[in-house]
Amino acid sequence: MQMMIADQFLESVSGERIQINNPATGTACGEVPAGGGEDVDFAVQAALDAFTPWATLPNSRRGGLLYRCAELIRREADRIALILTTEQGKPLREAKDEVYGAAAVFEYYAGSASLVSSGYADRLPRYGYGIVQRRPLGVCGAIIPWNMPVLIAAWKIGAALVTGNTLVLKPSSKAPMAVLALGEVMKRSGLPGGVLNIVTGSGNLVGDPLISHPEVKKISFTGGMETGRHIAGVAARTMKRVTLELGGNDPMIVCSDVDPVAVAEAALLLRLYNCGQICTSPKRLIVEDEVYEAFVTHLKRRISEVVIGDGTDPSSMIGPLNSEEVRSSVEHAVWRLGDEGAEVIMGRIPDTLPRKGFFCLPALVTGCDGDSPVLQEEIFGPVIAVINAGDSDEAIDIANNTRYGLGASVWTQKIEVAERLAEGLEAGIVWVNQHMKLPPEVPFGGVKGSGSGRENGLAFIEGYTEEKTILISR
Ligand code: NDP
């Protein structure tokens, strides 16, 4: 596949390419250009050239174009989803969910176009009156990861474009192809050249020139904490705005008044979605005393029934992890939890599992210590870690005992308990009797080390525009 810059699909200036591996087989499934600084310069120039015509379109025209993109994405969902499964590893049904989710995001932004409006300040006796314009920032940059590339790209593209900005997007080198397919579909929907540019390549060779480029006014980043810290530092030198979503270590608090079997089943399905590689996956299940035994007993039975296999096989409940690097870090975490004294029960290895893929058996780890240093960190894989809490006060203390603060959930039938716990949880979003649900209508982002700034909801208006006041004396 090729990069998308201005009106064209291109190779990189260097002519070099990056091989993309299918995580289910460990073998090549495609190639993309290995971009560099000159490609970034070219893309930023294309985005600059496209900016004024795009920014001065009526909001409804930009919204209309995003509607058309959503329509075509839905029509081509099967094709994009297959590319996504092949390069990322997730089951095909999850890949389709993701592509449909991206279409819904574009519909949300299309429908919100009219909210991007200017204001008026009247009755200022000594000053006259003011017009408060809401203006786009200019060329924005987006850097995204490999775990949910199509959905995360849609969040950033929808918000930037509907507000009148143009965008240069860098996908992860571990899963860039579905994003390129998304871009190509958007272009075919009528998006003018240069409004969205996609430059493939590594973080060092494409990411760094993008975050330090003087013409780029904002960087929206989703990925790891260390990279986020680096981006914030570099972007500060050119006074860019930065939005960072840096992962999570979400607690799921299970109170004593719930049906433990039903909630344990929900926890299993949520935690294993995308093979556990989701920033808002419930990574620490904190279960109150009275329901702990029944909760764990259900999980012990179910963990051996989890079917692991190639994402294109409809019987696979989970696919492989995305890379060998992720697999070894997850296996290391499980091994350390066992060393700390937790009980580890592994899932079953099917005979048919391809031998070369980055498969990782799901692990149920019970009796975890709430203070475990391993559980302070994000485990990006199919590890179901259960911690016993005496009561809800202890549960909150354990839940907040991490440097992350992205999502959290409370499972209870008592609204007063839900409200009290939600109040005490340090997180950007708290779910009650659900987890990991992110409709584009609500703002999303973290506190503490999970980052800063919000995506979706109405946060996009503030995030992608600036106000300019014109004060006119009478
Ligand atoms: P990274 O933060 O390294 O990658 C995310 C994106 O940032 C990729 O596009 C990457 O490019 C790019 N990048 C890397 N270095 C730079 C740089 N110097 N300048 C600009 N861009 C850069 O995450 P990983 O994929 O390595 O995952 C590490 C950990 O982060 C995971 O184990 C998980 O804990 C967390 N994570 C969180 C996610 C979330 O949703 N918040 C998503 C994915 C991971 P490239 O890879 O092409 O070099």
Side-chain angles (χ1 to χ4, degrees), residues 200-236:
T200 50
S202 71
N204 291 341
L205 297 181
V206 172
D208 271 323
L210 185 61
I211 60 181
S212 51
H213 200 294
E215 289 294 351
V216 175
K217 305 298 182 210
K218 167 174 176 145
I219 296 287
S220 175
F221 171 73
T222 302
M225 204 184 275
E226 288 314 313
T227 315
R229 199 170 280 140
H230 166 73
I231 288 175
V234 174

Side-chain angles (χ1 to χ4, degrees), residues 83-105:
I83 298 172
L84 180 54
T85 289
T86 310
E87 66 177 350
Q88 200 275 347
K90 63 182 68 188
L92 202 46
R93 66 178 171 283
E94 292 183 12
K96 281 184 198 166
D97 278 357
E98 184 174 337
V99 177
Y100 283 119
V105 167

Side-chain angles (χ1 to χ4, degrees), residues 360-372:
C360 173
L361 283 185
L364 171 65
V365 190
T366 60
C368 295
D369 179 353
D371 289 330
S372 155

Side-chain angles (χ1 to χ4, degrees), residues 318-400:
I318 58 174
L321 290 170
N322 179 251
S323 63
E324 183 53 45
E325 191 188 339
V326 183
R327 176 167 69 177
S328 67
S329 90
V330 171
E331 287 177 351
H332 187 64
V334 173
W335 173 74
R336 284 179 61 205
L337 283 169
D339 255 16
E340 283 180 358
E343 183 188 1
V344 178
I345 301 175
M346 305 301 287
R348 194 175 53 82
I349 308 179
D351 305 335
T352 51
L353 207 60
R355 291 184 53 198
K356 276 182 127 184
F358 309 131
F359 292 99
C360 173
L361 283 185
L364 171 65
V365 190
T366 60
C368 295
D369 179 353
D371 289 330
S372 155
V374 185
L375 290 186
Q376 309 292 298
E377 299 306 321
E378 178 171 42
I379 302 178
F380 226 51
V383 180
I384 304 171
V386 194
I387 306 165
N388 185 194
D391 57 26
S392 56
D393 288 332
E394 190 186 346
I396 288 257
D397 287 344
I398 297 170
N400 289 339

Side-chain angles (χ1 to χ4, degrees), residues 51-306:
F51 173 65
T52 302
W54 179 249
T56 49
L57 278 182
N59 289 356
S60 57
R61 286 279 301 285
R62 287 197 298 272
L65 266 163
L66 290 181
Y67 269 129
R68 281 219 290 285
C69 291
E71 204 183 334
L72 205 56
I73 290 165
R74 280 184 197 285
R75 259 192 262 155
E76 305 223 7
D78 287 355
R79 184 177 68 84
I80 302 173
L82 184 58
I83 298 172
L84 180 54
T85 289
T86 310
E87 66 177 350
Q88 200 275 347
K90 63 182 68 188
L92 202 46
R93 66 178 171 283
E94 292 183 12
K96 281 184 198 166
D97 278 357
E98 184 174 337
V99 177
Y100 283 119
V105 167
F106 286 122
E107 282 160 356
Y108 167 71
Y109 281 111
S112 304
S114 61
L115 300 177
V116 189
S117 57
S118 297
Y120 186 70
D122 201 2
R123 303 178 193 221
L124 310 172
R126 286 174 32 223
Y127 309 101
Y129 67 97
I131 298 164
V132 185
Q133 294 178 342
R134 212 166 248 297
R135 300 164 77 99
L137 306 176
V139 177
C140 296
I143 299 179
I144 63 169
W146 44 266
N147 59 333
M148 303 284 286
V150 176
L151 184 66
I152 295 172
W155 288 347
K156 297 184 191 308
I157 297 169
L161 266 49
V162 79
T163 40
N165 300 281
T166 53
L167 189 68
V168 178
L169 182 141
K170 187 203 103 54
S172 160
S173 326
K174 295 174 193 141
M177 298 195 299
V179 175
L180 286 171
L182 178 82
E184 184 269 330
V185 168
M186 293 186 72
K187 189 162 160 37
R188 256 193 289 131
S189 311
L191 204 63
V195 169
L196 169 65
N197 307 275
I198 303 176
V199 183
T200 50
S202 71
N204 291 341
L205 297 181
V206 172
D208 271 323
L210 185 61
I211 60 181
S212 51
H213 200 294
E215 289 294 351
V216 175
K217 305 298 182 210
K218 167 174 176 145
I219 296 287
S220 175
F221 171 73
T222 302
M225 204 184 275
E226 288 314 313
T227 315
R229 199 170 280 140
H230 166 73
I231 288 175
V234 174
R237 284 180 222 142
T238 43
M239 307 289 275
K240 288 181 183 26
R241 290 195 193 188
V242 177
T243 303
L244 303 169
E245 197 271 85
L246 307 178
N249 191 2
D250 286 16
M252 167 173 173
I253 298 181
V254 183
C255 297
S256 54
D257 63 310
V258 299
D259 170 355
V261 171
V263 178
E265 181 64 19
L268 177 104
L269 298 178
L270 286 160
R271 182 63 180 118
L272 296 184
Y273 197 82
N274 204 20
C275 208
Q277 304 163 106
I278 296 197
C279 48
T280 53
S281 181
K283 297 187 181 101
R284 294 171 299 145
L285 312 182
I286 304 167
V287 185
E288 285 188 29
D289 260 346
E290 285 138 85
V291 285
Y292 183 82
E293 273 315 313
F295 188 88
V296 165
T297 302
H298 180 74
L299 291 177
K300 283 182 177 168
R301 184 175 67 72
R302 288 284 285 130
I303 196 77
S304 62
E305 294 170 0
V306 173

